[in-house]
Amino acid sequence: MDNEFDPKESPEKIAAGTHEAPVASESEDKNQPDIPSELPVLPVRDIVVFNYMILPLFVGRDKSVQAVDAALNGSRYILVLTQKDEKIDEPGPDDLYRVGTVGMIMRMLKMPDGRLKVLVQGLTRARVKDFVSTDPFHLASIEVLPERDTKEITLEQEAMMRAAREQSEKILSLRGMASADIMAVLNSVNEPGRLADLVASNLRMRVEEAQRLLECEDPIERLRLVNEQLVKEAEVAAMQAKIQNMAKEGMDKAQKDFFLREQMKAIRRELGEGGEESDELDELKEALDKAGMPKEVKKESDKQLKRLTSMHPDSSEAGVIRTYLDWLVDLPWKKQSKDRLDIKEAKRILDEDHFDLEKVKERILEYLSVRKLNPGMKGPILCFVGPPGVGKTSLGRSIARALGRKFVRMSLGGMRDEAEIRGHRRTYIGSMPGRVVQSIKQAGTRNPVIMLDEIDKVGSDFRGDPSSALLEVLDPEQNFSFSDHYLNVPFDLSKVMFICTANILDTIPPPLLDRMELIRLPGYTEQEKIKIARRYILPRQIKENGLEEGDMVISDQVLSRIIRDYTREAGLRNLEREVGSVARKLARKKAEGEIPPFRVTVAALEKLLGPAQFMDDEREAELPPGVAVGLAWTPVGGAILHIEAATLPGKGGLQLTGKLGDVMKESAQAALTYAKSRARELGINPEVFEKNDIHIHVPAGATPKDGPSAGVTLVTALISVLTNTPVANDLAMTGEITLRGRVMPVGGIKEKVLAAVAAGMKRVIIPGHNMKDLRDIPRDLRGRVKVYPVERIDEVWPIARADAPHKEGAAVEPASEEADTK
């Protein structure tokens, strides 16, 4: 039951203000005057008015106020209808139930805020036949639904009435409410319909259920429905009473335990025995004093410690505060490792750990030099970008070793929860600081090297965006006062050296990318891999597989064959696996009694490692007309690419095969357009375009190919087939073209030129703007190939044709000192 016969005020439930709980009335006017056929409508929400109810209503909506005024100026009768949806502020006819209660306004009082407080008594049910008007208020044509007379109370009906009274009394007793007066009212009612309305007006029901009772015209059926509701309410009231008793028992036990513990403390103090808890708090206070916290952090820690001392030690909140204070103690607020500022020693360590990577080493040495001259500088944010296996993470360890700092690796791959960075709010047991603060605690110093691994693989979902949280962490202008949600106090991250790693940049948000200094690690050349294998991989694998120095003899030629035939990667992981596989097989031989040294030959590789996994395109002795050799960049290094063109009878169409991407298809179309526009200068009969189709194919059709660097090769292949002139077989080329005949610069020149050298090419055509990229190629490799820089397509064909002398074009000697300057 809803406030069982308790007339306290409740929050706003009706049209324009609040309503007070209904008062059950035991009086009934048997001689009701005639009710007009048209009445003003007062919409209410979240309440259904029954007969015999007397209840106060606060009225504030304009239409409702005018409806009350109209009723007071007329018969004082008003039709109270319940809204179907209580959220609607201006209900229309379709928003109201059609059955309501005719009420008489007994009193009206104007409130200071402009609302009206009216006292309404429910008289009889009524059904709306039609709405006469809706402005300035709702006026409805009604049909009164008089209460049906009950001829004679049967035994079943009497039983239902007694059950209603008994259930009501049971509910009142369960709720601890005085019931003598209320039960006197219920016992005095002998009409089933009136008793049903009286009980229903005080039941806790949803609006839909109460409206169903109101619309039930049969008094016996209505009483049966009320009894069903009473049974449900009695069960709920019994469960509530049980829960309250359990809670009270728990509180009584906790209070008893608290008083007993306090008495035990007092007894110990009288006996002069200090409790362990007080000793722990004293130790915690001493640790907080020695932690070297800033003033605002110390103020917060003192506040939390004061709260902890006043709490019961076994309470859950005391555990949360204790864990929080332990975190404040463990953080290195003033502990800082001293940087090793010996530049020569740092260079020795970097050279010892990593081969080549000169640009990265130079950047680290520059940082140390500036740090030596300006100790107050802020930590840089470096981001190593490159394929897997090129040594990005291990390079971070080497940097920490060179600086003499602690190193902590923090993987961000797959992270989707912002709380992983900023920490969890200190609102529940088990909350923790974010990974950044955890890494600082793990390092034990405030200036470690923190490696943020796989920053390009950070995700986001409904739990937040970790990449946005990283903006504050990685911004030197903000991270001096980084605030973790768990700590809720600022921590200075400006002394930390953050190093990020990524495979690609496309997935990193631009604001985050803007805060980092990019250092690209494109991968290792074959020559570099041989030197790294000789210096690092071979000694490590010999040691790990139980061999001794000198047991495994392997030449550079064999290493080169392993790199080319069994691995195809930018990094070194597969190379280390294959070398480890060879070492394991030799270790077995030694374990079986064979006497080392074991010499690994090219012929023995297939027996040790199986058939070759990769096959390079070999240089052909002579290229037929329509074939040109291009250069391509791949994630595992450079590669040569044969592009073939052929003509066949047709109507001038262009067919492309070889699983080409959109960019490469557009380059082919541009190449054809250029050939058509310069047909006469190139010696091509223009009629060949009208009577023939052109087919361009790039072999290895199962491999997707795309990129803006095949334009020069496509033009050369087209001109070759259209003039029936072969292209030189020792020439490879790269570059993009425009319709105006310009050759545009491309990327990956280092990898492409090295691929040409590996394939036995003697000459290479590159865009003129890419000459600066030759500085990255080792001098001994540059000496094996002549490079022709071209600015326009017109310069390409005189160099490319097989019958042209090699003196055509301005070849640049790659081994020049200018190209070697860094």
Side-chain angles (χ1 to χ4, degrees), residues 175-456:
R175 299 193 183 281
M177 301 174 63
S179 60
D181 295 338
I182 301 174
M183 290 310 300
V185 173
L186 294 177
N187 289 328
S188 66
V189 178
N190 295 315
E191 298 176 10
R194 182 173 179 183
L195 180 62
D197 289 342
L198 187 60
V199 175
S201 63
N202 291 279
L203 271 175
R204 294 178 181 176
M205 293 184 291
R206 296 195 302 270
V207 172
E208 297 82 3
E209 295 173 346
Q211 184 67 28
R212 186 159 66 99
L213 287 173
L214 181 68
E215 294 179 2
C216 183
E217 298 183 35
D218 185 1
I220 304 303
E221 178 64 18
R222 192 158 66 246
L223 183 60
R224 186 185 64 78
L225 294 174
V226 167
N227 268 306
E228 291 178 0
Q229 292 293 331
L230 282 170
V231 171
K232 294 179 184 177
E233 188 65 23
E235 292 176 354
V236 173
M239 184 58 67
Q240 285 180 332
K242 181 180 178 181
I243 293 171
Q244 289 173 357
N245 290 334
M246 291 171 60
K248 185 175 184 299
E249 290 174 4
M251 290 177 61
D252 292 343
K253 185 178 184 302
Q255 290 173 350
K256 179 181 176 182
D257 292 346
F258 175 76
F259 287 126
L260 288 174
R261 285 192 178 92
E262 290 299 316
Q263 288 174 355
M264 290 175 64
K265 288 181 182 178
I267 293 171
R268 284 176 179 157
R269 283 195 296 268
E270 290 296 324
L271 293 174
E273 298 177 358
E276 294 181 2
E277 297 163 3
S278 60
D279 292 342
E280 289 181 3
L281 290 176
D282 291 340
E283 293 175 2
L284 183 59
K285 185 177 186 307
E286 183 180 356
L288 289 170
D289 293 336
K290 292 181 179 180
M293 305 174 188
K295 289 183 179 180
E296 60 271 23
V297 182
K298 187 66 171 64
K299 183 178 178 182
E300 177 66 18
S301 68
D302 291 343
K303 176 183 174 182
Q304 297 298 331
L305 183 62
K306 186 176 179 181
R307 289 183 60 202
L308 181 63
T309 55
S310 63
M311 287 181 180
H312 192 284
D314 292 337
S315 67
S316 59
E317 189 174 1
V320 171
I321 295 177
R322 178 59 192 264
T323 305
Y324 172 70
L325 293 176
D326 287 341
W327 271 100
L328 292 182
V329 169
D330 293 339
L331 285 176
W333 297 98
K334 63 179 181 180
K335 296 178 184 177
Q336 183 170 327
S337 58
K338 186 177 181 181
D339 283 343
R340 183 190 289 116
L341 299 177
D342 186 338
I343 310 301
K344 293 183 179 179
E345 177 64 13
K347 185 177 187 303
R348 185 194 68 77
I349 291 174
L350 291 173
D351 289 339
E352 179 183 319
D353 289 349
H354 287 271
F355 176 77
D356 199 25
L357 302 178
E358 296 300 330
K359 290 184 179 180
V360 181
K361 295 175 182 177
E362 281 183 20
R363 179 62 185 88
I364 302 305
L365 297 176
E366 288 170 2
Y367 167 74
L368 287 175
S369 302
V370 175
R371 181 83 179 175
K372 187 173 184 178
L373 300 175
N374 179 19
M377 69 169 290
K378 297 177 181 177
I381 314 297
L382 303 180
C383 182
F384 297 149
V385 184
V390 296
K392 301 186 291 297
T393 303
S394 61
L395 188 60
R397 289 193 178 90
S398 298
I399 290 172
R401 179 168 167 242
L403 292 173
R405 294 190 182 188
K406 298 286 186 179
F407 176 80
V408 182
R409 177 181 171 272
M410 178 175 150
S411 178
L412 303 180
M415 184 181 292
R416 293 179 177 274
D417 191 351
E418 182 185 350
E420 291 281 341
I421 303 295
R422 291 192 179 277
H424 302 81
R425 299 283 183 186
R426 205 167 60 250
T427 54
Y428 58 89
I429 298 173
S431 55
M432 294 182 63
R435 298 272 297 279
V436 176
V437 172
Q438 292 180 41
S439 299
I440 295 290
K441 177 188 174 184
Q442 179 183 347
T445 63
R446 60 188 293 233
N447 66 334
V449 175
I450 295 182
M451 171 73 76
L452 301 178
D453 231 350
E454 311 292 353
I455 198 170
D456 57 327

Side-chain angles (χ1 to χ4, degrees), residues 545-563:
N545 288 283
L547 298 174
E548 297 179 2
E549 186 177 356
D551 287 355
M552 179 177 174
V553 180
I554 185 169
S555 65
D556 288 353
Q557 183 184 4
V558 175
L559 287 174
S560 176
R561 184 62 65 89
I562 293 175
I563 292 168

Side-chain angles (χ1 to χ4, degrees), residues 16 42 59-70 114-116:
L42 176 63
V59 181
R61 292 188 286 207
D62 291 338
K63 286 189 176 183
S64 299
V65 171
Q66 294 191 44
V68 171
D69 289 339
R115 293 184 297 167
L116 302 180

Side-chain angles (χ1 to χ4, degrees), residues 150-162:
T150 306
K151 299 177 181 179
E152 185 175 349
I153 303 300
T154 64
L155 291 176
E156 181 183 1
Q157 295 167 3
E158 180 63 26
M160 291 172 63
M161 294 175 67
R162 288 187 184 183

Side-chain angles (χ1 to χ4, degrees), residues 621-738:
E622 185 177 340
L623 296 179
V627 179
V629 179
L631 296 172
W633 179 91
T634 69
V636 297
I640 65 170
L641 200 67
H642 286 86
I643 294 181
E644 303 173 351
T647 59
L648 61 159
K651 298 181 179 180
L654 176 64
Q655 184 177 358
L656 304 173
T657 55
K659 204 169 185 180
L660 308 183
D662 291 339
V663 176
M664 209 160 175
K665 290 178 181 178
E666 292 170 359
S667 297
Q669 188 63 55
L672 178 59
T673 302
Y674 174 80
K676 288 181 178 180
S677 64
R678 304 297 303 275
R680 296 194 181 279
E681 292 86 340
L682 295 170
I684 301 172
N685 184 1
E687 294 182 359
V688 73
F689 297 107
E690 300 175 3
K691 298 179 180 180
N692 294 275
D693 289 342
I694 297 176
H695 185 172
I696 296 178
H697 176 66
V698 183
T703 304
K705 310 170 191 71
D706 201 10
S709 62
V712 169
T713 314
L714 287 165
V715 167
T716 305
L718 276 174
I719 297 175
S720 172
V721 72
L722 294 174
T723 59
N724 198 30
T725 304
V727 178
N729 68 331
D730 63 346
L731 175 71
M733 59 195 75
T734 185
E736 187 54 297
I737 63 171
T738 69

